[in-house]
Amino acid sequence: MRHRRAGALDPLLPRHRPLPAPAPGDIPLRVPGAEGLLRRHRPAPESFDASWHAAEQYQLHACPDPRLPEPARTAALGALLAAWHHALPPLGHDSEAVFTWPSRDAALTPLLLAHGMVPKRIAAVRPARRPLPAPRTGPRTLIRPFDPAWAAEAAALWLDGMRWDAQFGSCVIRPSTAAHIRLRLARSLVWVAERQRRVVGLLAAEDPRGARAGRTGYISSLLVAAPHRGDGIGSALVRTAHAALDEAGCSVTLLHYAALSPVSGPFWHRHGYRPLWTTWVRRGPLGPATPGSSAPASAPPAPPTPPAARPA
């Protein structure tokens, strides 16, 4: 089905966005002018995916009739949202209703807010070779490829960054999170910022080597230690990563950031990124976190200092 509205809103959105193939347990939803399905998703508890989602998700996949003009299209999506919410079971403290939709479709925002939804994560995009802020790092900072000798420092910095983002509800610290971070460090393309023989920043990206022209790059993490933020370290790491992604033939680069973070959005927008998809959620009531983890809607016991994604 041609998604004309999405293509008109943003040329980087896919031209076709049909509903996913039905899976066991899906609940089909139909209203005049739109169809969708409610899908229950439970990330494997020990997977890294579980660190980015509630233990139980109730996803809405929506497809409005592309022939509908406005405001009938938005009204149809509003009716579909109401049907989805009516079909939802009671949400627990580690569960959420999830809907991902084009960020520029502002007409739907009032309806999402009226249904108690809040933005959780932004998928942002940057076309290749867009200009970046001028370098500002001092001579004491070196940007180097990751060395396994720095694994402990780098993993601790990454985990601290996730603790910061957890207070905005974009991730969850699970018992398995630290182990998955160490695995990602070993498997990703990583650069570190070194100052006085200490790791003060890192950037991890999906390895673009061997990618065909037109492939999409992905930055999975950017972190700068709190005492060193504002020194241009984040920008220097981003500049290094983009040079590698551009050279590998990636026509665009994607990343995710916490929608409610006061620092992530401004930083990434200065570096050529803009919102593409917004993930909206409605969560259950707050409850006690399981040992070693944080409930998605609750903050860590003591808010950590933001380590990354700020003007740098």
Side-chain angles (χ1 to χ4, degrees), residues 114-133:
H115 284 285
M117 308 286 287
V118 295
K120 174 182 177 180
R121 298 183 79 198
I122 303 290
V125 64
R126 174 189 180 270
R129 307 189 188 284
R130 293 196 66 180
L132 293 168

Side-chain angles (χ1 to χ4, degrees), residues 2 10 24 57 80 82 89 127 138 154 169 217 231 235 273 281 286-287 302:
R2 178 77 179 272
D10 195 321
Q57 289 190 309
L80 189 65
D231 290 346
S235 293
Y273 285 83
V281 298
L286 291 177

Side-chain angles (χ1 to χ4, degrees), residues 45-46 93-94 172-177 287-295:
E46 295 303 312
H93 79 273
D94 202 358
V172 192
I173 306 303
R174 307 284 188 190
S176 61
T177 300
T290 56
S293 69
S294 300

Side-chain angles (χ1 to χ4, degrees), residues 249-308:
C250 296
S251 59
V252 297
T253 301
L254 294 170
L255 54 81
H256 287 85
Y257 63 83
L260 299 181
S261 169
V263 292
S264 295
F267 176 88
W268 288 117
H269 297 171
R270 285 202 308 115
H271 290 77
Y273 285 83
R274 61 175 175 78
L276 188 65
W277 299 98
T278 300
T279 295
W280 295 78
V281 298
R282 191 179 83 181
R283 296 190 172 95
L286 291 177
T290 56
S293 69
S294 300
S298 61
T305 306

